[in-house]
Amino acid sequence: MFSMKLRKASLAIATGLALSLTLTACGGGAGSDDSKIVIGIKFDQPGIGLKTPEGNFTGLDVDVATYVAKELGYEAKDIEWKQAPSADRETLIRNGDVKFVAASYTINDKRKAEVDFAGPYFLAHQDLLVRADDNSITKVEDLNKKKLCSVRGSTSAQNVKDKRVPGADLQQYGGYSECLTGLENKAVDALTTDDAILAGYASQKEHQGKFKLLGLKLSEEPYGIGLKKGDKELRDKINKALEKMQKDDSWNKFVQKNLGPSQYQSEPAPKITETS
């Protein structure tokens, strides 16, 4: 009899433990995943997405993503920022490691085969950054026999050299900060990538007044918010948030705050096209 009662007691405890674990896994506890949102951004692009030495996050993408998250029901304190390097963005989305990605993420057909996009929320262009006192480069053809810098693996500088100025002396550095130092020290003559990224670097306090963008618009780079393929509900909610952001003037404030100090002239807020 005692043995039977012991077995019944043990079964009751095991059943209660299993139920508790089930509720926790389903999000029934206070630490539910539903209380947080994970968003992918760049950590190394001033003015766009930057993790500061103090551990803060700044930039246009950060402000846009924070605004969108609030419209989805999350306060800034509920956001977990996850680094999303260019090569990892699709993988992070597919694996569910992030809810969405806002990381200078140009919408194109190749990427749309793997993920869906909301937006665009910004239209960038490939451009050139030169020293503020250098008037020898005013158009892309002036790069002939000049030293053009970009980062290793970037297609921006290679496109300029291959398609526009075969005589350019392409210099590939490990990061844009190195290119910027080379530009300031006259080791290189120009730096190329998206104009928004260039404006972000030029807007940093230590760089203000030293460089200028030429405004050449060598390509169109519509930045969108990447999300899991087929999640129409989330895409529609994000698009609605982006539309509201444009209408209440938050978009203009974010652009001026993050890119304005470089005298960057952005395109108007783009029409949202990623709706199906």
Side-chain angles (χ1 to χ4, degrees):
M1 181 67 71
F2 177 77
S3 177
M4 184 178 295
K5 287 182 178 180
L6 183 61
R7 283 200 299 271
K8 286 181 178 180
S10 299
L11 180 61
I13 292 170
T15 302
L17 180 59
L19 180 59
S20 174
L21 290 172
T22 300
L23 287 172
T24 302
C26 291
S32 169
D33 289 342
D34 291 342
S35 66
K36 296 287 183 182
I37 184 170
V38 183
I39 302 173
I41 58 168
K42 294 290 180 66
F43 278 18
D44 59 353
Q45 290 182 345
I48 303 296
L50 180 70
K51 183 178 181 180
T52 69
E54 297 77 28
N56 299 317
F57 297 91
T58 65
L60 175 64
D61 286 347
V62 174
D63 287 338
V64 169
T66 301
Y67 187 102
V68 169
K70 186 170 184 179
E71 293 301 304
L72 295 177
Y74 300 92
E75 297 299 324
K77 63 181 177 59
D78 302 323
I79 299 173
E80 178 186 333
W81 301 108
K82 191 173 186 67
Q83 188 170 17
S86 295
D88 298 341
R89 290 176 297 201
E90 287 84 38
T91 302
L92 289 170
I93 293 169
R94 282 198 309 267
N95 291 348
D97 296 324
V98 295
K99 188 74 170 179
F100 62 79
V101 166
S104 55
Y105 203 2
T106 297
I107 300 169
N108 61 39
D109 290 340
K110 182 179 179 182
R111 290 168 179 162
K112 284 169 71 171
E114 298 187 54
V115 300
D116 279 348
F117 284 95
Y121 61 89
F122 191 83
L123 181 59
H125 303 276
Q126 186 182 345
D127 199 3
L128 298 178
L129 188 74
V130 299
R131 290 181 293 277
D133 60 356
D134 185 357
N135 296 316
S136 69
I137 303 174
T138 59
K139 56 186 184 297
V140 70
E141 288 75 18
D142 293 333
L143 291 172
N144 190 42
K145 296 183 180 179
K146 299 275 190 179
K147 292 182 178 179
L148 174 65
C149 192
S150 195
V151 299
R152 295 185 187 96
S154 169
T155 58
S156 301
Q158 199 65 52
N159 286 341
V160 170
K161 179 175 172 59
D162 292 347
K163 299 177 182 178
R164 303 289 292 272
V165 193
D169 181 4
L170 181 58
Q171 305 285 312
Q172 298 187 73
Y173 288 10
Y176 290 117
S177 294
E178 295 173 43
C179 279
L180 212 62
T181 299
L183 186 58
E184 184 176 2
N185 296 338
K186 299 185 178 181
V188 298
D189 302 300
L191 165 59
T192 188
T193 188
D194 294 359
D195 54 6
I197 296 172
L198 295 174
Y201 277 104
S203 293
Q204 287 182 291
K205 189 174 182 180
E206 64 269 29
H207 297 143
Q208 289 177 20
K210 295 180 180 179
F211 308 104
K212 62 184 178 184
L213 284 122
L214 297 186
L216 299 181
K217 298 183 180 179
L218 301 175
S219 68
E220 290 203 347
E221 309 292 338
Y223 289 173
I225 292 181
L227 59 143
K228 188 166 286 189
K229 198 157 186 65
D231 194 343
K232 183 179 184 299
E233 182 181 359
L234 178 60
R235 185 194 65 209
D236 291 347
K237 287 180 179 178
I238 294 175
N239 278 336
K240 186 176 180 180
L242 295 177
E243 288 173 351
K244 182 179 177 182
M245 182 180 69
Q246 293 179 8
K247 290 176 181 176
D248 68 14
D249 206 40
S250 295
W251 184 89
N252 284 316
K253 291 176 182 176
F254 295 158
V255 172
Q256 287 305 310
K257 167 189 166 186
N258 292 292
L259 305 177
S262 69
Q263 308 304 313
Y264 172 66
Q265 298 296 316
S266 72
E267 297 277 7
K271 181 180 178 181
I272 290 172
T273 58
E274 298 303 308
T275 56
S276 61

